[in-house]
Amino acid sequence: MNATGRSEDRGPGFAEAIAHPNIALAKYWGKRDDGDRLPAVPSLSVTLAGMLTRTRVRFDAALDAAELVIGGAQASVGATARVAALLDRVRSASGRLERARVESANDFPTASGLASSASAFAALAAAATAAAGLSWSAARVSDLARRSSVSAARSVLGGYVELPAGRAGDLELPALPVASSDHLDLRIVVAVTREGPKDIGSTEGMLHTTRTSPFYAAWVAHAPSLCARVRDAVLARDLEALGAAAEESALCMHASAIAAAPGLIYWTGATVEAIAEVRRLRARGLAAWATIDAGPHVKVITTPADEDAVTRAIAGVPGVLRTIATRPGPGATVVAGAPAER
Ligand code: 2P0
């Protein structure tokens, strides 16, 4: 797709938006059993520059049902239904009756096991509301994105972003800005440890943890203090405190999943080797802390000054296939067809 909409694509009912993945420094893992996709714990992430999703939405009276094309190929029935649910919310909020065609593409390899639903649903929420003529605040777009993918609520905003835990009776829960992307100039080196098949999805994995792990209650009790430590460290620009709290958050999240029955182990040998290398780097005085999501890849938090040395060391760990350099970046942006353009 082009960087901006072609002129014939503009006009009522069309918009294009871009959004980026985010990495949680304080992890979300587990939903409340009441409410509509409400997280059980607060999380705090950094939205990343570099990798991006670009999504176009066109409402079209000629369509009988929502259509979804991802990376040029017709999407599965399940993926299309998940997108249609978001579009239905936009249609009922805007009074629009037409169905929509959605085209989405990532500029990072979708088969890498890194593709997150966060950038996809953040871009879709931004594009769909703009295409429907809704001039919604970022908070409202974030709440809409959360109903499709909790982590997507955070990718609507740029920089450092917090999504509070849901509370009983919450009807809306948007992510909140904590600090801009230039407030704390860290780097995150992604160590890709597998290009292969998908893991057990986050939605399924956290539900299994919620239902069967004896450590889940401890995780829910402890996560708010980890998130508060991450928030305080970001605001104080204290990377040491941030790295320590982020690494603890990831390990506590995985401990709850590993203790499920049967245990949910997202790690491989390469994951453990990369964590060990991060700790060796730290012992040598370099800035390096590990965080891991629902997969085997290790993301290393570091400084601009130490990024090259950390990247070289992590790239040399057996089982690390390649590295991706990332840094704090912007939130979801409508790049064509915003209501203001009409
Ligand atoms: C996070 N993850 O905070 C955590 C850490 C994965 C591990 O948010 O079920 O794809 O749609 O809410 O948003 C991934 O969860 O799952 C995630 P749903 P989502 O980034």
Side-chain angles (χ1 to χ4, degrees), residues 1 3 5 9-20 53-60 67-69 83 86-91 94 96 98-105 118-138 140-142 144-145 148 152 155-156 331-342:
M1 281 186 282
D9 283 334
R10 300 197 178 209
F14 171 80
E16 178 178 326
I18 57 176
H20 306 273
T53 299
R54 182 181 299 277
T55 298
R56 293 173 158 193
V57 174
R58 173 183 293 289
F59 286 96
D60 184 345
E67 287 183 5
L68 175 62
V69 173
V83 162
L86 186 150
L87 294 169
D88 284 346
R89 291 192 178 96
V90 171
R91 290 183 328 123
S94 65
R96 243 176 209 285
E98 310 100 294
R99 308 287 166 171
R101 176 179 166 82
V102 176
E103 281 177 66
S104 192
S119 56
F121 282 104
L124 178 65
T129 47
L134 297 168
S135 298
W136 279 9
S137 64
R140 244 181 131 179
V141 175
S142 170
L144 173 68
S148 295
S155 272
V156 171
T333 310
V334 177
V335 294
E341 282 187 38
R342 296 196 191 122

Side-chain angles (χ1 to χ4, degrees), residues 27-48:
K27 301 296 185 193
Y28 144 64
W29 193 250
K31 295 177 184 65
R32 294 180 61 91
D33 56 12
D34 54 0
D36 179 13
R37 235 184 179 89
L38 290 173
V41 297
S43 56
L44 197 154
S45 61
V46 58
T47 305
L48 303 177

Side-chain angles (χ1 to χ4, degrees), residues 109-125:
T110 45
S112 68
L114 287 169
S116 155
S117 57
S119 56
F121 282 104
L124 178 65

Side-chain angles (χ1 to χ4, degrees), residues 24 27-28 31 37 82 117 149-151 154 202-203 293:
K27 301 296 185 193
Y28 144 64
K31 295 177 184 65
R37 235 184 179 89
R82 200 165 164 193
S117 57
S149 162
V150 168
S151 56
R154 302 187 310 236
S202 296
T203 306
D293 292 301

